[in-house]
Amino acid sequence: MADVARIVLMRLGLGLLTLLVISVLIFGAVELLPGDIAQAVLGQGATEETLAALRQELGLDRSAIVRYVDWLAGAVVGDFGVSLLNQAPVAEVIGPRFANTLFLATYAAVIAVPVAIILGIIVALFRNTIFDRVANVATLTSISSPEFFLGYILILYFSVQTGWFPSIAKLSDGISFFELLERTFLPALTMVLVVVAHMMRMTRAAIINLLASPYIEMARLKGAPGWKVIALHALPNAWAPIINVVALNLAYLITGVVLVEVVFVYPGIGQLLVDAVTKRDFPVVQACCLIFAATFILLNLAADIGSILTNPRLRHPK
Amino acid sequence: MNYFVIGYYALLIGGSCLAAHYRKREVFLILFSLTLASFVMGIVGGENALWAVSIGAGLLALAAGTAYSFREFLILIAGPLTARALRTAPLTAAFGMFVIFSYAVLGIFAPIIAPYGEAEVISQSFAPADENMLLGADQLGRDMFSRLVYGARNTVGLALVATAIAFFIGAILGMIAAVKQGWFDQIMGRLIDVVMSIPSLIFALLLLSILGTNLIILVIIIGVIYSPRVYRLTRAVAGNVVVMDYIEAAKLRGEGMWYLIRKEILPNSTAPLIAEFGLEFCFVFLLVAGLSFLGLGIQPPTADWGSMVRENATLISFGEITPLIPAAAIALLTVAVNMVVDWMLYRSSGLKE
């Protein structure tokens, strides 16, 4: 087990390093601004005095490196500075919204993962039949549609025409958990549709890849039925690629969430990011980007580690 | 029970019996499972559900017919070599080609096809469809249909340019890395890893917030964000070519790097690169649509599918489907490109073995 721990630690270190480089990128991007932040916030009509005052307030008179170290040290303990718009601490604005986004993503994942894996296995079992081809076209359509298309179709049918679910995912204090699930059902379903299609296709590919191996042929020759070959022989070896697929798609959920939140007016971090981008509120944009990037890297890391743990061959790289 | 429902089931059951009699297993399976599904749908949704199924089947048959005739048409006008390749194309790929062809026609001849200008205000806001306006008016009273046609030019054109930029950067860097190897290859590889570990939509939003939503900047940003994917593929494909003997021979002849890239590597890696161009176009197209939907892409009054959906979204709460048409146009083109790419990938992998 020592070598596993070493590999995991190494991957963790590599992930942290990537995150560090990304934080430099995110911070450095704002430095690219023509003029500086004070100029961008106040616009062309600003007088020298107000500019100087704002620069003083934001600490722009210090060098970029000092400010970067300061910003990073703050970010590590959850202090992302104050919003340029209303002077509220960024962490306070982001905190509850990030929790909402995580809730939505978890909700979608809890439905999507089992459904996708089961459907993927079924489609692999019925490969090259008419069902497989129909599923292929259906998942392709789902992947190719923009998230807002699926979202609005769901609103049209499940909210406007039938009135089963609310079209706007409004959250208020003191609603029960069941009510919460009902209100966020449509946004979650939108993400489920996209992610299930991706995962199904990849699960199918992972299993079919394995079906060409000689030991599967052996199992068939000894007379095992098709479902047994897949469930008992192919699946245990397919877990590594499937875990990879699941983690990659959860990472995909994190970005897909931005569009879905805007469609359903869901108070999450994605909508906050879009608002901050249109209003050019840079501290909020930086913080949101860093959080998204960190989650993305973390999930990719989980995919890596998961596949190493389930596949002993990967522990000894050649 | 009325005549429609009776005829519907009679047709389905009769079809299944015929299929079973002539031992057409696939046809029987699909017809009979449709019959069983119709029982459930009929009970839940009533006659309307059965109508929906019939209309869906009709549309599907129409699409298949169009695809079939378009393929025959292409085979007739193409040269003998291309014609042989086209004969192997499945109907889905032919349908994809048909859709791409129609979008191209729409985009190129937009000013002739569209009855009004893209920014021309001709009636009240959200006016319903009449004999002048096929799809009614949008939130400012502009003709929806005209804007849809112009959108084919703007949105698809922008995505094409951005994809071309991504390809130009990614492919050239990838081939240089494959030829040069050493430190250049190493540094590029690490850099690409970092860029790829930021979600593309988030990266685009970050850069747009700083640089503003200018059309040229938008195209360049998207091109740069998507070039790493092209770089990886090119590096892998070119890496396999570089170790060939004829490259060694060219090197011994004293040929320079540009000659190697242009005359030896590029011709031998076109097939996977063309397929990747299609896939890449889909990603870029969806990103452009998403950004426009968020109000950060192509700026008004230029017609654009993503922003059209957003601007008219209020109509959806009145049960109108017009705002969904531009979104469906986006989905249809992406599906079509994917279908063609699927066939091309299948062909190139089949030819290799």
Side-chain angles (χ1 to χ4, degrees), chain B residues 274-297:
Chain B
I274 289 176
E276 175 69 15
F277 189 88
L279 281 182
E280 198 73 12
F281 172 78
C282 292
F283 288 123
V284 170
F285 190 49
L286 286 179
L287 180 70
V288 170
L291 285 176
S292 306
F293 176 75
L294 295 175
L296 298 162

Side-chain angles (χ1 to χ4, degrees), chain B residues 177-211:
Chain B
V179 176
K180 274 199 150 182
Q181 300 188 333
W183 61 269
F184 182 79
D185 195 18
Q186 288 294 323
I187 292 181
M188 283 308 293
R190 294 295 85 75
L191 198 70
I192 294 296
D193 279 350
V194 170
V195 175
M196 279 185 83
S197 59
I198 310 178
S200 45
L201 181 64
I202 307 297
F203 203 11
L205 285 176
L206 173 69
L207 291 180
L208 283 176
S209 77
I210 291 155
L211 300 170

Side-chain angles (χ1 to χ4, degrees), chain A residues 15-247:
Chain A
L16 273 180
L17 196 68
T18 318
L19 196 58
L20 197 69
V21 178
I22 288 176
S23 74
V24 173
L25 267 183
I26 291 176
F27 188 83
V30 175
E31 298 295 313
L32 282 179
L33 212 61
D36 63 359
I37 300 184
Q39 188 86 52
V41 170
L42 294 177
Q44 292 298 327
T47 60
E48 272 308 313
E49 292 90 71
T50 48
L51 274 178
L54 187 64
R55 283 195 187 118
Q56 183 79 42
E57 199 185 312
L58 295 170
L60 288 181
D61 40 4
R62 295 172 300 159
S63 80
I65 299 171
V66 175
R67 276 182 292 127
Y68 168 70
V69 173
D70 210 33
W71 176 71
L72 191 67
V76 169
V77 293
D79 172 21
F80 292 98
V82 291
S83 156
L84 292 181
L85 282 180
N86 48 14
Q87 309 303 322
V90 175
E92 266 175 41
V93 182
I94 288 184
R97 280 171 169 264
F98 186 49
N100 285 346
T101 296
L102 277 186
F103 168 75
L104 187 61
T106 319
Y107 188 8
V110 166
I111 303 176
V113 173
V115 169
I117 291 179
I118 292 173
L119 284 179
I121 292 172
I122 292 178
V123 172
L125 193 60
F126 287 105
R127 67 198 167 281
N128 299 333
T129 64
I130 195 87
F131 289 111
D132 185 28
R133 257 175 260 162
V134 170
N136 182 29
V137 173
T139 51
L140 196 66
T141 315
S142 175
I143 290 172
S144 310
S145 310
E147 283 92 346
F148 54 85
F149 182 45
L150 296 175
Y152 280 129
I153 287 183
L154 291 182
I155 289 185
L156 184 65
Y157 285 106
F158 290 111
S159 170
V160 177
Q161 292 194 349
T162 55
W164 289 345
F165 295 99
S167 67
I168 290 181
K170 211 167 86 184
L171 302 184
S172 42
D173 291 332
I175 54 173
S176 70
F177 186 65
F178 181 74
E179 216 171 334
L180 189 66
L181 287 186
E182 191 202 338
R183 285 191 192 182
T184 53
F185 182 72
L186 286 187
L189 188 62
T190 312
M191 297 205 287
V192 166
L193 282 180
V194 178
V195 173
V196 160
H198 267 285
M199 278 201 259
M200 246 179 88
R201 285 173 82 89
M202 288 160 136
T203 308
R204 176 185 177 276
I207 291 179
I208 286 183
N209 253 340
L210 278 176
L211 290 181
S213 351
Y215 79 98
I216 296 288
E217 176 112 44
M218 178 66 213
R220 281 222 193 87
L221 287 178
K222 77 179 187 199
W227 65 269
K228 240 183 185 170
V229 172
I230 286 191
L232 296 182
H233 296 89
L235 201 54
N237 272 317
W239 279 126
I242 289 177
I243 289 175
N244 225 322
V245 166
V246 169

Side-chain angles (χ1 to χ4, degrees), chain A residues 130-131 134, chain B residues 12 25-35:
Chain A
I130 195 87
F131 289 111
V134 170
Chain B
L12 270 183
R25 192 163 172 272
E26 302 244 297
V27 182
F28 171 75
L29 269 179
I30 202 161
L31 278 180
F32 199 67
S33 43
L34 193 62
T35 318

